[in-house]
Amino acid sequence: MDGRIGRRAALLGAWTAVASLLAGCSGSLRTRRVTAAVLEVEGVDGCELDSSVSGTFQRLLHGRIDLGSDDRDVAFETYDEAMRAVVTTLHDGEEDDGNITVGGIMGFIDGAEEFTVRDLDPDMPVEDYRLDRVTASTLYARYGLT
């Protein structure tokens, strides 16, 4: 019996590695497209995004957007437009790109985290939600997408 459990664990590990590699391949192209869209937003000084797969095989897009203004209101508007670029690029991508978690994309002013998607008030079913539950599609209404 222990031999079967060991083989199953090894097989599960192999499938996890393959799924991660496959997600990384398609994810890297997607990440490059999204990064390029964000860098086109006026006021964005830099963008470092990465994609990964969670332990439950959920696709994640996470990283930082460096905002050029020291004025918090202007920086927030820039972050909002940058996230519009993220969500719109994903919306226009593959059919299931709306399911990609974007809650890990933070806005930074002078190297300090200032904004998260929570500041954008996504359409969430509960009031107290975790950022790793915010998918691109939860921001569709904010940006006029369906």
Side-chain angles (χ1 to χ4, degrees):
M1 189 86 115
D2 289 337
R4 278 193 244 165
I5 293 172
R7 283 192 300 269
R8 286 182 185 161
L11 186 57
L12 179 60
W15 279 110
T16 301
V18 168
S20 295
L21 288 173
L22 291 174
C25 291
S26 64
S28 63
L29 177 58
R30 180 184 305 109
T31 303
R32 286 193 303 268
R33 279 192 350 256
V34 172
T35 300
V38 170
L39 288 172
E40 290 180 14
V41 173
E42 186 175 335
V44 170
D45 281 353
C47 179
E48 296 177 22
L49 299 179
D50 194 17
S51 61
S52 60
V53 177
S54 74
T56 58
F57 299 102
Q58 182 178 16
R59 294 177 304 155
L60 311 169
L61 191 58
H62 48 89
R64 63 183 293 132
I65 299 172
D66 293 311
L67 309 168
S69 178
D70 291 337
D71 181 300
R72 188 169 172 76
D73 292 335
V74 172
F76 177 76
E77 289 178 24
T78 303
Y79 177 69
D80 191 15
E81 286 304 310
M83 288 304 294
R84 176 188 302 273
V86 168
V87 172
T88 301
T89 302
L90 291 172
H91 177 268
D92 295 343
E94 296 178 24
E95 184 176 317
D96 63 344
D97 279 356
N99 295 328
I100 294 175
T101 298
V102 296
I105 301 175
M106 312 296 178
F108 287 77
I109 301 174
D110 291 330
E113 178 186 321
E114 291 291 332
F115 304 111
T116 69
V117 294
R118 193 179 285 273
D119 297 306
L120 300 174
D121 195 27
D123 184 22
M124 297 297 289
V126 295
E127 187 174 317
D128 188 26
Y129 55 89
R130 295 178 5 193
L131 290 175
D132 64 349
R133 302 288 166 105
V134 181
T135 62
S137 63
T138 60
L139 294 165
Y140 282 3
R142 179 177 185 88
Y143 300 123
L145 303 169
T146 56

